[in-house]
Amino acid sequence: MKAGKSSLLVFGASEITQYINKETIKDTLWMPVATFVTGLGMTLMTASVISWMVDRVARSYNARKVANERQEIRDDVFRSIYARFFSEKILHEFDATLFNSEVLKIDTRIEMELTEKEGSEFQGEWLLVQYKHSYKIRNVTSGEIEHPIKLVLELPLRNALKGMCRITRVEIQGEVYSGADLETQNLITSCDDYKTLETKRKLSSGEEITVSFTYQTVKKIEDYELIVMLVPTENIAITAKGFKGLTLKADSNNSKRLTCRKYNDYDCEWQLNNGMLPFQSIAVWWKTSEIEQSSSEVDGC
């Protein structure tokens, strides 16, 4: 019986109870009858509400179950198709790096500024490189995850220069941390070769957050930066600013080439409006003009 009908029955029984609860008839048989009818109405209404709640939960459960089964079918079909062309080792790598990925990285933006510095420690062989690196990360699973947010700086071999390599600012979905904050919270660890920042954030299904790093390191005057994607990534833009006498180039380890906007030899912007798989990369490298003129031309900007 519907909840509305049960409510009507309870209302009617209550009216009967009030009517017969008068001095003239309160001792008649109508009183237990009315009490029975009222109790029956309440019981039916409660049963109706419980039935409605159970039905709603069951529908939600069945919807999730159907969605999961559809995803499993799609995965099985995909694996069956690709199993005709690839070995189990290749399929295992697909699973390890792509199919089991919990997040999608979107709109990566990296700004690099290369600067000549005076001082005996630089000796005309080293450059200070400052970075601004931002991206969005989205949970693509159907449940909550705890996603690691990590940044690794490679330290120069010269001990006198290692102190110049530092993480100066981190922003995670509007929460800002200075380098001192990160050190105080023990989020940065160091060894002879690397300085590492690592923290975690919980993301609900479909949730998207913005992450931004500001940091600096020291590189050789003839050197490179290898930017490796560890999760599936869409849309990358890289800006590099140098100085007169330096030539910058870049290339992608991807099916698509970089789109280059060349302002001059030492001030460039590259874009890759394509998807990148885990462990694909973009390399940015630089040389002085004298070295560049004596070397063969390399494709790039």
Side-chain angles (χ1 to χ4, degrees), residues 97-115:
T97 61
L98 184 60
F99 296 153
N100 292 329
S101 179
E102 296 180 328
V103 297
L104 174 65
K105 194 175 182 180
I106 310 163
D107 297 336
T108 297
R109 300 289 180 266
I110 300 175
E111 299 177 17
M112 303 171 55
E113 185 170 359
L114 298 85
T115 309

Side-chain angles (χ1 to χ4, degrees), residues 118-150:
E118 296 180 356
S120 58
E121 65 272 22
F122 285 92
Q123 296 181 348
E125 299 177 4
W126 300 84
L127 303 175
L128 181 68
V129 187
Q130 296 171 296
Y131 301 82
K132 292 181 180 179
H133 181 176
S134 65
Y135 59 87
K136 296 176 183 177
I137 204 82
R138 180 189 299 159
N139 177 4
V140 296
T141 73
S142 59
E144 184 181 72
I145 63 171
E146 191 171 46
H147 177 67
I149 296 173
K150 189 173 183 179

Side-chain angles (χ1 to χ4, degrees), residues 8-264:
L8 182 61
L9 181 58
V10 172
F11 174 76
S14 299
E15 290 296 314
I16 293 173
T17 302
Q18 292 177 12
Y19 171 74
I20 65 175
N21 195 26
K22 295 180 180 179
E23 292 294 333
T24 55
I25 57 175
K26 64 180 181 179
D27 295 326
T28 68
L29 291 176
W30 284 106
M31 181 60 71
V33 171
T35 301
F36 169 77
V37 173
T38 302
L40 178 62
M42 291 295 295
T43 301
L44 291 174
M45 185 174 69
T46 302
S48 178
V49 171
I50 293 174
S51 176
W52 173 79
M53 292 177 65
V54 170
D55 181 67
R56 184 174 181 179
V57 171
R59 286 175 182 271
S60 177
Y61 171 78
N62 289 333
R64 291 196 303 271
K65 184 178 179 181
V66 169
N68 291 335
E69 289 176 349
R70 286 177 177 172
Q71 184 62 49
E72 291 176 1
I73 291 172
R74 285 195 293 267
D75 292 345
D76 288 343
V77 170
F78 190 87
R79 287 183 60 86
S80 297
I81 293 173
Y82 275 85
R84 298 173 55 192
F85 306 101
F86 300 107
S87 68
E88 276 300 316
K89 290 182 179 180
I90 300 297
L91 292 176
H92 177 269
E93 186 66 13
F94 283 169
D95 283 338
T97 61
L98 184 60
F99 296 153
N100 292 329
S101 179
E102 296 180 328
V103 297
L104 174 65
K105 194 175 182 180
I106 310 163
D107 297 336
T108 297
R109 300 289 180 266
I110 300 175
E111 299 177 17
M112 303 171 55
E113 185 170 359
L114 298 85
T115 309
E116 287 184 299
K117 304 293 284 188
E118 296 180 356
S120 58
E121 65 272 22
F122 285 92
Q123 296 181 348
E125 299 177 4
W126 300 84
L127 303 175
L128 181 68
V129 187
Q130 296 171 296
Y131 301 82
K132 292 181 180 179
H133 181 176
S134 65
Y135 59 87
K136 296 176 183 177
I137 204 82
R138 180 189 299 159
N139 177 4
V140 296
T141 73
S142 59
E144 184 181 72
I145 63 171
E146 191 171 46
H147 177 67
I149 296 173
K150 189 173 183 179
L151 175 66
V152 179
L153 296 187
E154 184 180 8
L155 301 179
L157 296 176
R158 183 170 295 174
N159 289 331
L161 297 172
K162 290 182 179 180
M164 297 182 183
C165 301
R166 61 179 73 101
I167 301 167
T168 56
R169 186 179 185 273
V170 173
E171 183 174 348
I172 304 174
Q173 198 62 8
E175 298 180 9
V176 179
Y177 306 87
S178 66
D181 294 334
L182 299 170
E183 296 282 358
T184 301
Q185 297 180 37
N186 296 319
L187 297 178
I188 296 178
T189 58
S190 299
C191 62
D192 287 341
D193 300 319
Y194 300 98
K195 186 182 288 286
T196 304
L197 161 72
E198 189 165 11
T199 184
K200 295 180 179 180
R201 283 295 183 275
K202 289 184 178 180
L203 299 174
S204 58
S205 179
E207 184 178 0
E208 183 177 295
I209 63 172
T210 300
V211 179
S212 175
F213 303 114
T214 303
Y215 54 99
Q216 66 181 41
T217 188
V218 177
K219 293 278 191 177
K220 297 282 285 184
I221 199 166
E222 179 186 354
D223 212 333
Y224 69 93
E225 183 69 47
L226 186 64
I227 303 163
V228 181
M229 305 302 147
L230 299 180
V231 298
T233 303
E234 291 182 357
N235 301 331
I236 302 168
I238 300 172
T239 300
K241 296 181 179 181
F243 49 87
K244 190 173 182 179
L246 194 73
T247 298
L248 289 155
K249 291 184 178 291
D251 202 0
S252 62
N253 173 28
N254 187 262
S255 62
K256 299 291 185 181
R257 303 300 301 275
L258 295 175
T259 300
C260 177
R261 296 176 60 187
K262 185 172 183 179
Y263 307 111
N264 50 54

